[in-house]
Amino acid sequence: FNPASGLNQGIRWTGDNIQFLDALNHGLNAQANAVSADGSIVAGVAVDGLTGHDTAVMWDASGAVTSLGYLNDGTSSFALGLSADGHVAVGYAEEALNGNDVATRWVNGASAESLGKLIGGTTSQATAANQDGSYIVGFGDSTLASQEAFIWTEQSGIKGLGLLTDGTLSKAQGISANGAVVVGIADTTGAVRSGFRWTAQTGMQSLLAWLQDNDPSYTLFAGNTLDAALGVSADGNTVYGLGKLNGRDQPFVARTYGPIAQPVITTPPV
């Protein structure tokens, strides 16, 4: 909340300064969700003061806001992720025809582009993009699950990444710089939540299975879990997330020192 303006504004924190980001047409609320690698571009959502609609936006280095608009005649949009170079924002927007949300990208501030839905699905959301925005990940409903992680490229379109063994859901939350490694949240036997790591070579693995590939003796002690993978390093070998340590919620960093995974490009699928 900015007491000077009386508005709930997005902010950019630079370590020694908090910069309030402009409201959209004096709208009452805004939220910053993602930032470029150099910190100059921020993406998020703001209420448009003229229409009252939630609107995907970008802010520049000065904090000035730009509306990214909607899909066709839809009336809401949300930016959740941003490529490291700041050129591609991703998220979701309403389809006017049926009112459902669909994964969306905005390239260099241009018009919203639908990324489509998984087979059998009615909704989808994009959550993250790689270094240049050529690979985008997210989740949507499908014939396989109510929530299934996906990866999208312009060449191959949208492709589901599947589930863990006996799983019922998966959601992609992060992607490496070259687009080869995807991380996120899933469940496995007994509806036990687990962070996952996916590559085209290995498929979807629980974080525990991935770590044991690097060190077969690795194990988790009782009360310790790796529940959610929320981000991944540029090289794909370090995963950041949330779990439990001795039964208490804790952030974690998990890493291996193997070779850097490379994307496999076929058309279609990925």
Side-chain angles (χ1 to χ4, degrees), residues 3 6 26 44 148 170 190 209 263:
H26 304 287
E148 182 185 359
S170 61

Side-chain angles (χ1 to χ4, degrees), residues 88-181:
V88 181
V90 301
Y92 61 98
E94 179 194 49
E95 288 184 310
L97 182 63
N98 53 33
N100 292 336
D101 293 326
V102 62
T104 304
R105 72 169 179 169
W106 295 265
V107 180
N108 293 318
S111 299
E113 300 176 44
S114 169
L115 305 183
K117 304 164 191 171
L118 292 167
I119 295 173
T122 59
T123 65
S124 57
Q125 294 185 21
T127 55
N130 74 320
Q131 164 68 32
D132 63 2
S134 57
Y135 290 82
I136 296 170
V137 296
F139 62 93
D141 62 333
S142 70
T143 54
L144 185 64
S146 61
Q147 293 179 328
E148 182 185 359
F150 72 74
I151 188 168
W152 178 95
T153 69
E154 194 162 2
Q155 296 85 357
S156 302
I158 191 169
K159 175 185 180 291
L161 300 183
L163 307 171
L164 293 175
T165 301
D166 295 327
T168 63
L169 64 87
S170 61
K171 299 171 63 174
Q173 299 290 328
I175 186 168
S176 62
N178 67 3
V181 177

